[in-house]
């Protein structure tokens, strides 16, 4: 800081002393009067050591009347330049009246008892009641997703011991999708203040398909392809359960998140993120290691290929839905899933009949069908899809995805006691790699910005604590004078 004198003819030491005088009759000068000096300060780079000294560069009145904190750049310039009529207590008063901007996603809201100067009290991380409620619902949703997904997988494995017909099981469970819109309407009647009839609600949700609503052309062009993808996803997943254990199937299906990112990046031109590319590479490496864990036997290779195909169909379903239909509200999503059930009833029913008469999927008598297992699997799969599609209303979407990952250790524990699975080192590493890739894909797009803000805040807080600790050590009169009137000479 090599400036010794400023316009006005007064040396800097004298100007600071004069600037500390209270002169209520004289209004403060404008910053436009010192615009040449402001242009010079614009390109000034302040060292970290100087910043620490600037924290104590306040006048006596600012320390006694204003809040203890870093002053604005306007106050610093007016104080240093020593313009007559500057009233720091008035500027501090204006600063207190100014409403505080709401913090961003990475910032925690400070409570009413926060200390001045950017330092918050030890209770600054206290959550509000709404956040606690959302977290509570999040835990419930995670448990529901995990239990329904793991339960349906294990029940399907158990069903195939008595009823070896994966496509028929897929067809039977998909028919239950018809219940989506009726269940949604029941919730609408119970919760909504403006209750509508079934026809009114149906017509309003049909606007999702366009101005003409749900026509025959829209049904075959925008609903039928998704019905085919839905059937293929579930059939390939169930058929893979016959070939490999449920642990491998559940962990390999988690790769669909990586496939969604790759397809979105190519088709939807989504933002490129290096961390998600790393996650996709981890998913592919995990697939290869999982194949190697069983020694590349034909059964395991076919089963892994079926699961990867199921994950690919699921990713294609999600990307095409976003490309062709965009985002849907709750009622629109419920109607769409019910339409998929209707499509399955009218257009997919012929396939199980053909498979039965060709004895590809054959059962001797209808009494031999384990109806309890079929209905239980259908109910669990319906519950899983309901929570996955409508759980966002009560909690965060990331927590719902975590429930899918948690189903992997649940299936591993069940397989350990019910099957002859061998958890060798390669299989365990593959499971960990795929799970890590899945969790990396859950990071938000601005995760790096939030991380930098958090690290910066922690660094600033540490420096402030260090400065306060050093200030408390010097309790003599000299330290007090040095704090009130610091020296700017370098």
């Amino acid at each position: 800081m090599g400036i010794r004198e400023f316009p006005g003819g007064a040396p800097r030491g004298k100007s600071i002393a004069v600037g500390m005088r209270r002169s209520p009759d004289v209004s403060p000068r404008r910053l436009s009067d010192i615009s040449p000096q402001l242009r010079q300060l614009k390109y000034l780079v302040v060292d970290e050591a100087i910043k620490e000294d600037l924290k104590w560069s306040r006048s006596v009145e600012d320390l006694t009347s204003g809040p203890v904190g870093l002053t604005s750049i306007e106050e610093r310039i007016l104080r240093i330049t020593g313009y007559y009529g500057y009233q720091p207590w008035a500027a501090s008063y204006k600063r207190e009246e100014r409403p505080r901007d709401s913090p961003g996603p990475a910032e925690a809201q400070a409570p009413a008892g926060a200390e001045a100067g950017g330092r918050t009290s030890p209770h600054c991380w206290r959550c509000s009641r709404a956040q606690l409620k959302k977290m509570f619902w999040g835990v419930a949703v995670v448990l529901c997703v995990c239990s329904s997904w793991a339960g349906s997988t294990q029940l399907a494995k158990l069903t195939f011991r008595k009823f070896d017909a994966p496509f028929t099981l897929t067809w039977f469970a998909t028919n239950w999708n018809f219940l989506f819109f009726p269940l949604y309407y029941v919730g609408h009647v119970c919760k909504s203040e403006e209750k509508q009839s079934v026809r009114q609600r149906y017509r309003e949700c049909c606007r999702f398909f366009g101005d003409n609503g749900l026509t025959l052309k829209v049904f075959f062009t925008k609903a039928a392809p998704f019905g085919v993808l839905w059937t293929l996803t579930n059939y390939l997943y169930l058929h893979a359960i016959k070939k490999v254990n449920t642990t491998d199937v559940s962990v390999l299906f988690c790769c669909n998140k990586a496939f969604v990112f790759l397809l979105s990046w190519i088709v939807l031109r989504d933002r490129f993120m290096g961390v998600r590319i790393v996650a996709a590479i981890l998913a592919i490496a995990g697939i290869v290691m999982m194949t190697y864990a069983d020694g590349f036997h034909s059964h395991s290779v076919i089963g892994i290929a079926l699961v990867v195909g199921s994950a690919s169909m699921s990713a294609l379903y999600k990307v095409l839905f976003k490309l062709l239909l965009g985002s849907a509200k709750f009622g629109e999503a419920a109607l769409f899933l019910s339409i998929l059930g209707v499509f399955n009833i009218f257009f997919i029913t012929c396939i199980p009949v053909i498979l039965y008469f060709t004895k590809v999927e054959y059962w001797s008598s209808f009494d031999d069908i384990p109806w309890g297992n079929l209905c239980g699997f259908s109910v669990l799969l319906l519950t899983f899809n309901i929570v996955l599609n409508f759980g966002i209303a009560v909690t965060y979407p990331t927590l719902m995805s975590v429930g899918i990952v948690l189903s992997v250790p649940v299936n591993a524990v069940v397989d350990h006691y019910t099957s002859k699975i061998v958890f060798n080192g390669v299989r365990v590493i593959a499971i960990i790699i795929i799970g890590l890739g899945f969790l990396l894909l859950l990071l938000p797009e601005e995760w790096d910005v939030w991380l930098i803000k958090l690290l910066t805040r922690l660094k600033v807080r540490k420096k402030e604590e260090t400065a306060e600790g050093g200030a408390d050590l010097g309790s003599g009169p000299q330290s007090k004078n040095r704090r009130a009137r610091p020296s700017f000479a370098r």
Side-chain angles (χ1 to χ4, degrees):
M1 305 286 291
I3 303 175
R4 294 295 180 181
E5 295 189 6
F6 290 86
R12 183 174 56 185
K14 296 181 180 180
S15 63
I16 294 177
V18 176
M20 291 166 52
R21 301 173 185 171
R22 294 197 179 188
S23 53
D25 299 332
V26 183
S27 61
R29 291 289 185 91
R30 295 172 297 179
L31 287 177
S32 58
D33 297 336
I34 53 172
S35 56
Q37 284 73 25
L38 285 177
R39 293 193 194 98
Q40 296 178 3
L41 291 175
K42 180 180 179 182
Y43 302 100
L44 180 64
V45 178
V46 184
D47 189 70
E48 291 293 334
I50 301 177
K51 288 182 180 179
E52 292 295 329
D53 291 341
L54 286 177
K55 289 196 299 183
W56 305 103
S57 62
R58 304 178 182 89
S59 62
V60 176
E61 292 138 336
D62 195 12
L63 287 171
T64 56
S65 61
V68 182
L70 292 178
T71 55
S72 63
I73 187 64
E74 180 179 346
E75 278 188 72
R76 293 180 185 177
I77 295 173
L78 289 175
R79 182 186 299 113
I80 294 172
T81 53
Y83 272 85
Y84 301 99
Y86 168 62
Q87 302 172 0
W89 57 88
S92 301
Y93 176 75
K94 291 180 181 179
R95 207 169 48 242
E96 291 176 358
E97 286 185 340
R98 193 184 313 142
R100 185 186 175 205
D101 295 336
S102 59
E107 299 177 351
Q109 294 195 5
E115 300 174 2
R119 293 227 22 186
T120 56
S121 65
H123 305 288
C124 63
W125 301 103
R126 192 179 300 164
C127 297
S128 64
R129 182 178 298 180
Q131 290 174 333
L132 289 176
K133 183 178 179 181
K134 206 166 187 179
M135 291 299 296
F136 171 78
W137 277 109
V139 174
V141 167
V142 166
L143 295 177
C144 189
V145 170
C146 177
S147 59
S148 60
W149 186 239
S152 61
T153 303
Q154 293 294 332
L155 196 55
K157 185 79 171 181
L158 185 63
T159 303
F160 290 146
R161 297 176 182 177
K162 302 177 181 178
F163 184 70
D164 189 9
F167 194 91
T168 303
L169 181 59
T170 301
W171 169 83
F172 183 80
T174 306
N175 290 337
W176 290 57
N177 280 11
F178 177 77
L179 298 175
F180 267 98
F181 189 75
L183 292 175
Y184 162 76
Y185 183 74
V186 171
H188 165 74
V189 172
C190 295
K191 294 294 184 180
S192 180
E193 297 180 356
E194 299 179 359
K195 296 179 175 56
Q196 298 175 332
S197 63
V198 179
R199 178 173 294 183
Q200 289 176 338
R201 198 64 190 164
Y202 170 78
R203 288 179 177 177
E204 184 175 339
C205 293
C206 280
R207 296 176 184 173
F208 172 66
F209 298 100
D211 297 334
N212 298 327
L214 183 61
T215 60
L216 197 62
K217 179 181 177 181
V218 170
F219 178 82
F220 284 104
T221 57
K222 293 187 177 181
F226 293 100
V228 175
L229 290 175
W230 181 284
T231 303
L232 285 175
T233 300
N234 288 278
Y235 170 69
L236 293 175
Y237 184 85
L238 293 177
H239 196 69
I241 293 177
K242 292 176 53 181
K243 304 291 184 180
V244 294
N245 56 75
T246 56
T247 303
D248 294 351
V249 173
S250 58
V251 72
L252 288 171
F253 190 78
C254 291
C255 296
N256 76 318
K257 200 81 174 177
F259 299 155
V260 168
F261 163 68
L262 293 175
L263 287 175
S264 300
W265 180 39
I266 297 171
V267 178
L268 302 178
R269 305 296 177 87
D270 280 0
R271 176 187 173 187
F272 174 81
M273 292 183 62
V275 66
R276 294 186 178 178
I277 289 292
V278 173
I281 295 174
L282 291 176
I284 296 172
I287 294 172
V288 175
M289 294 183 66
M290 191 67 71
T291 308
Y292 177 76
D294 287 332
F296 293 97
H297 297 302
S298 59
H299 249 14
S300 63
V301 172
I302 294 174
I304 291 173
L306 291 172
V307 183
V308 173
S310 175
S312 303
M313 292 297 105
S314 174
L316 186 61
Y317 175 96
K318 295 176 181 179
V319 173
L320 287 181
F321 187 91
K322 189 174 181 179
L323 178 65
L324 300 178
L325 299 174
S327 58
K329 300 178 182 178
F330 295 121
E332 298 166 349
L335 178 62
F336 182 80
L337 293 171
S338 294
I339 291 172
L340 295 186
V342 173
F343 171 81
N344 186 75
I345 294 172
F346 285 102
F347 296 96
I348 307 296
T349 304
C350 59
I351 298 180
V353 175
I354 295 173
L355 295 176
Y356 175 79
F357 285 107
T358 56
K359 295 188 177 182
V360 175
E361 293 186 357
Y362 181 78
W363 54 94
S364 57
S365 173
F366 283 92
D367 296 332
D368 298 334
I369 299 176
W371 293 105
N373 291 352
L374 265 67
C375 293
F377 170 79
S378 303
V379 169
L380 288 174
L381 193 60
L382 180 67
T383 304
F384 171 77
N385 287 307
I386 288 176
V387 175
L388 203 63
N389 284 278
F390 304 123
I392 192 176
V394 293
T395 187
Y396 305 98
T398 303
L399 291 178
M400 296 186 294
S401 300
V402 171
I404 300 176
V405 181
L406 293 180
S407 66
V408 176
V410 173
N411 286 321
V413 172
V414 176
D415 285 345
H416 177 71
Y417 291 102
T418 60
S419 64
K420 298 179 180 180
I421 184 174
V422 178
F423 288 100
N424 52 27
V426 178
R427 175 175 272 109
V428 173
I429 293 174
I431 292 173
I432 294 174
I433 287 177
I434 295 177
L436 179 61
F438 187 90
L439 295 177
L440 288 177
L441 289 167
L442 297 181
L443 292 175
E445 292 186 357
E446 304 296 334
W447 71 274
D448 52 344
V449 178
W450 295 357
L451 182 61
I452 291 174
K453 286 183 178 180
L454 178 61
L455 294 177
T456 304
R457 174 171 296 183
L458 294 176
K459 185 178 179 181
V460 171
R461 180 174 296 179
K462 185 177 180 180
K463 288 184 177 180
E464 289 179 355
E465 291 176 355
T466 305
E468 286 185 358
D472 293 338
L473 292 176
S475 57
Q478 293 181 356
S479 63
K480 293 182 180 179
N481 294 334
R482 184 168 59 253
R483 181 179 299 181
R485 301 172 62 88
S487 174
F488 285 88
R490 292 294 176 192

